[in-house]
Amino acid sequence: MYRLIESTCDADAATDCAEWLLALLETRRWDQQRISFFVSGGKSPAAVFDLLAATDFPWQNVDLFLVDERWAPDHPQDQNATLVQNHLLTQQGAAAHFYPLLLDTDFTQNL
């Protein structure tokens, strides 16, 4: 399910994307008890995550996964999990169940 969203500025693009994703999540909410929500990392989705986290969606029913991760043992602030924790797992979004790809800060254990 794809949709081209054209916006005139970054703020409008973030709002349009957040509204579209929320509508998809709402549809799935009525179809099943739990929702699996897979997100990408990088800095681009941060504004969208901030908007989603502020909604009153029932995040406690969401299992949140990353589709990719950055191998950044010396710079954890650059990891995608950190982005998700700082932008989506805040406010109401903090109720979601997050399953990061890297489970241990000893990166040799994740090989």
Side-chain angles (χ1 to χ4, degrees):
M1 187 177 309
Y2 297 95
R3 178 178 168 209
L4 175 64
I5 299 173
E6 296 184 48
S7 302
T8 58
C9 68
D10 291 346
D12 288 347
T15 299
D16 292 344
C17 287
E19 289 174 353
W20 183 69
L21 286 169
L22 192 59
L24 288 175
L25 290 170
E26 284 286 352
T27 300
R28 292 292 178 234
R29 182 171 88 143
W30 299 112
D31 292 344
Q32 53 202 36
Q33 288 286 332
R34 299 205 57 76
I35 299 167
S36 296
F37 186 30
F38 291 78
V39 298
S40 177
K43 293 183 176 140
S44 298
V48 175
F49 292 167
D50 289 335
L51 292 168
L52 289 172
T55 66
D56 62 356
F57 188 79
W59 292 103
Q60 68 276 7
N61 297 331
V62 174
D63 294 319
L64 182 63
F65 301 89
L66 286 170
V67 297
D68 64 338
E69 182 57 278
R70 292 181 177 164
W71 191 266
D74 296 329
H75 303 283
Q77 71 276 7
D78 292 337
Q79 293 175 346
N80 293 336
T82 303
L83 170 90
V84 168
Q85 290 166 342
N86 291 341
H87 294 278
L88 186 52
L89 295 174
T90 62
Q91 303 177 68
Q92 287 83 350
H97 301 271
F98 182 46
Y99 301 91
L101 293 176
L102 302 176
L103 302 176
D104 194 315
T105 54
D106 178 0
F107 287 86
T108 62
Q109 299 299 314
N110 290 294
L111 295 175

